Structure formats: C-alpha cells, structure tokens
Amino acid sequence: MVAQKLALPFVLTAISKLPRSIRESIVPDMRIPSVANSPEKVQLARLSHVYFEHPDLDEFSRFAEDFGFVLAARKESTLYFRGYGKDPYVYVASQSTDGKPHFRGPAFVAASQQEFDKAKALPEGKLSSLAKAPGGGEILTFSRADDTQFHIVLGQQERQIEIGADPTAILQEIGPFNTPFEKPRKGKFQRFTEGPALVHKLGHFGYVHREFDADLKWYTDNFNFVPSDILYHWDFSNIDVMTFMHLDRGERYTDHHIFFMQRAPPECQKTYLHHTSYEVEDFDTQLIGHQWLAKKGWKSVWGVGRHVLGSQIFDYWQDNSGFKIEHYADGDLVNRNTPTKRDVVGPLSVWGPELPKDFGEDSTLWLI
C-alpha cells in the first residue's frame, strides 16, 4: 500500500500527458459532492478556541505575548490566552508530557442548548466539564482520523466587551482615512507606538488531511459547514484538492472560511495542522505587529500580503514549537445566498512575497 501511494505522483505525471478527456476517464473521480445545510445538522455558531501542547510552555508564553494574546488564566500546567473579543479565551496551551508539540483540536460553540443536545446524540462523543476554565461551560469531544480531535462547547460566560473601545496596544490617535478625493481627517493625526498586534478572535484553522474524503463527509454531514470555495488539480479537474468552508447561519453573514481542508499528497504519512489564524484590527496594526515580532527575533513564514480567496491581509509566523500561526485583517463575509465557487488551483495571493517552497511542507506538491 505504501509503495502504491509513493508511486501515485509518478503515475499522475505520466497520465497528465494524455488528452484531458482520456486522463480524467482513467483517474477515479475525487470531486467534493454538493453540500447544503439543513435543520437536521448540528448548528454551530462560531469558532471559540484551540488546544495545543508545547514542550516549553514558558517560551510559548513569551511568544504569545509578542503575538498579541493576553493571558486570561493559568491553571497548573495550562495557560488560557484571550483576545479582546467576547470569547473567554481563544488559545489553550498545555505542557506536553512527551516532549513533543501537539495540536489537540478546535472548539466550536453550539448555537443553542438544542443544538448541543443534537451533538451529544452523535456517536462517540465524550462529554466533560469546563468548570476549571475561564467562563466555565461544558465540552463535547470527538476523536477523528489520525489522532485529530473536534470539540463543541456550550455554556461559557462570554466576556463583556465595550464596542468602540481601544482594541490595540499600539494606537495613540486614529482618525478616518484620507483618500485622494475625500479627506475627512483635518487637523488630526495618525499616531502609533510599537508593540504587539492585539488579537481580536480566533478566525480559522485547517488541516492537510490524509483521510480527506471520509473526514470531510463527517464534518459536512453532521454540522453546518458549507464550502465557500473548492480548488481542483490543474491537470485533473475531477480531483478536488482543497476546500475553504464557512458556517452556514442562514441570512446572517459569517467569515468566508472558518475551516479549510487540503488533500494530503500520497506520500504524506499523517494528517497535520497547517495553521491557525487570528483576527487583528487593521492593516496598520498588522504591519506594526509584524515589525514587533521581527524585532523580538521570531521566525517569519510568509507575509505580509493579501490572499485571493477570503481576501484577508495575511502574515504568517512560526511559534517556538514549529506551528504556523497567522494574523489577518479585512476578510470577506458570506451567507447562504453566496454560491460555492469551484476553480483550478491558482495563485494564493494578490500581492505579497513569493510563496515559500516549504509553506505546506510535502503538501505543496498539490499547490505549486
């Protein structure tokens, strides 16, 4: 089986030389089926937080502060970091017990008690308490393929936020943006200071997935994940290699993608997290945050630039455990009236630095 998987890229390369109609009749269809939300599915409201284990928790705490997280609580060997949004925390960092870094899955908020009860009726969910965590609540955990996990929470006490309050550590004075023909800011100045780009919320995450079709079916059959965009292989239009999914909340607009899945190439040995992403206030905040992280000696991965799909201004970094982590600003919103788009894999950015060759490790075989 391993030998067959390793041989597949060479077989695909050979078949790709044939006329499209012939090569696509040879290769099995790997298109993502049409997906639509329905009341029978568990309705999730938003992405709340993620779980990580780090070998050096003190060093990660230093990175977290420079990245723009705020420490909400420390409970024994677990740190809870928040943004300035309503979630009591957006990132949970625990001490690794085996000396290796681990991603332990995302946690989504159920839209209601009724939806949480529907999730509890799904097979193999494990219910536990969040009483020791900031905000309390309950959590339901599902074990998925390749040691991945998926969590649903309910009953957390949300933070009280003041709309219009200063959301950044680097803002001194800010006014409207002056354009070539409209200049509403008169006699006032844009003034900033150096510092981290404070995080608002957890925006999205994604996997490079070895069990792409089976696990995508589980997520879309059971929850209100709907593809915003689907990308297919440039040589085989019947091989979908990536999808960006939003939460379908009906007429309510939600982020263009909250969860993405990329089909792992045959030689990939195990599903892995590609990155997690966190929203910041604006472009100024993002660039000053980039400068701050660079000054502190952290590793820049890719950015600053603007994505094509989702339109976010992006900035990717690497934490002390090797995980990719992103700041973003100015993302797109969609709702149930926004059709799913399907297109060939193309450039990932409108502008910005060239995509690093190791941006997706071995998964870049599908993307470059």
Side-chain angles (χ1 to χ4, degrees):
M1 180 62 71
V2 174
Q4 290 176 341
K5 286 188 174 183
L6 290 176
L8 185 57
F10 299 101
V11 173
L12 291 178
T13 299
I15 295 175
S16 68
K17 309 300 181 184
L18 300 172
R20 179 174 292 274
S21 60
I22 297 176
R23 65 181 183 245
E24 292 185 359
S25 67
I26 296 173
V27 175
D29 190 291
M30 288 186 263
R31 283 176 287 200
I32 296 171
S34 177
V35 175
N37 189 21
S38 68
E40 293 76 27
K41 297 180 181 181
V42 177
Q43 303 298 299
L44 304 174
R46 68 180 188 276
L47 184 55
S48 170
H49 58 272
V50 283
Y51 292 94
F52 283 87
E53 294 177 4
H54 294 277
D56 190 336
L57 203 55
D58 290 336
E59 183 69 355
F60 177 75
S61 182
R62 189 172 74 84
F63 173 84
E65 182 179 352
D66 289 337
F67 188 76
F69 292 129
V70 176
L71 182 63
R74 180 166 194 152
K75 306 287 186 178
E76 299 174 347
S77 58
T78 299
L79 304 178
Y80 296 86
F81 294 97
R82 66 168 178 82
Y84 60 83
K86 61 184 177 181
D87 293 298
Y89 48 92
V90 298
Y91 193 113
V92 183
S94 297
Q95 180 64 51
S96 173
T97 58
D98 63 3
K100 298 178 182 179
H102 300 281
F103 177 58
R104 297 304 188 192
F108 285 80
V109 179
S112 66
Q113 182 67 57
Q114 180 183 6
E115 300 303 324
F116 193 65
D117 291 340
K118 284 161 61 176
K120 287 193 290 185
L122 295 174
E124 301 181 353
K126 180 181 178 182
L127 183 65
S128 54
S129 173
L130 291 173
K132 294 183 178 180
E138 294 181 289
I139 184 167
L140 186 64
T141 298
F142 296 90
S143 294
R144 300 303 307 150
D146 275 351
D147 298 325
T148 57
Q149 293 180 308
F150 183 77
H151 312 275
I152 303 172
V153 299
L154 186 73
Q156 290 181 308
Q157 181 66 45
E158 295 179 354
R159 296 182 63 249
Q160 296 297 313
I161 58 175
E162 182 183 347
I163 303 299
D166 191 345
T168 173
I170 60 179
L171 173 65
Q172 291 182 325
E173 182 181 350
I174 191 75
F177 198 81
N178 282 342
T179 67
F181 296 105
E182 297 289 336
K183 303 196 183 291
R185 193 182 77 255
K186 298 178 173 68
K188 295 186 178 181
F189 310 100
Q190 311 286 47
R191 292 293 182 265
F192 305 87
T193 185
E194 65 175 6
L198 288 188
V199 163
H200 169 230
K201 69 173 185 177
L202 170 61
H204 63 264
F205 75 102
Y207 289 122
V208 177
H209 216 300
R210 212 166 51 101
E211 304 295 333
F212 181 87
D213 298 295
D215 241 36
L216 180 61
K217 177 176 172 57
W218 184 83
Y219 286 117
T220 56
D221 280 358
N222 291 307
F223 305 99
N224 55 325
F225 294 114
V226 174
S228 301
D229 283 279
I230 296 172
L231 300 179
Y232 59 84
H233 194 283
W234 52 92
D235 284 329
F236 301 91
S237 64
N238 60 340
I239 301 180
D240 290 337
V241 297
M242 194 169 189
T243 180
F244 295 86
M245 295 179 286
H246 65 274
L247 287 178
D248 185 339
R249 304 293 314 279
E251 296 294 327
R252 183 181 304 181
Y253 280 90
T254 61
D255 290 341
H256 170 272
H257 59 276
I258 203 164
F259 179 19
F260 70 86
M261 286 179 63
Q262 182 176 321
R263 187 185 298 276
E267 63 275 21
C268 182
Q269 297 300 305
K270 190 173 183 179
T271 297
Y272 62 88
L273 173 75
H274 190 273
H275 71 271
T276 57
S277 183
Y278 305 83
E279 185 179 44
V280 298
E281 178 71 7
D282 55 23
F283 194 24
D284 282 301
T285 303
Q286 199 162 14
L287 287 174
I288 297 173
H290 179 100
Q291 181 174 290
W292 181 259
L293 284 163
K295 180 178 179 179
K296 294 296 183 176
W298 300 109
K299 181 181 178 181
S300 175
V301 174
W302 187 33
V304 177
R306 186 181 280 275
H307 278 308
V308 176
L309 301 181
S311 301
Q312 297 99 328
I313 302 171
F314 63 83
D315 190 19
Y316 295 88
W317 290 81
Q318 181 175 291
D319 69 19
N320 60 295
S321 292
F323 291 111
K324 284 193 286 294
I325 184 168
E326 178 191 19
H327 281 143
Y328 79 91
D330 192 32
D332 292 334
L333 300 177
V334 298
N335 69 1
R336 70 178 179 185
N337 300 314
T338 308
T340 297
K341 295 181 180 179
R342 188 170 179 272
D343 205 350
V344 65
V345 170
L348 300 183
S349 64
V350 179
W351 56 263
E354 183 178 352
L355 179 70
K357 297 298 183 183
D358 62 349
F359 184 65
E361 292 81 37
D362 50 7
S363 66
T364 52
L365 291 176
W366 294 112
L367 296 178
I368 60 176

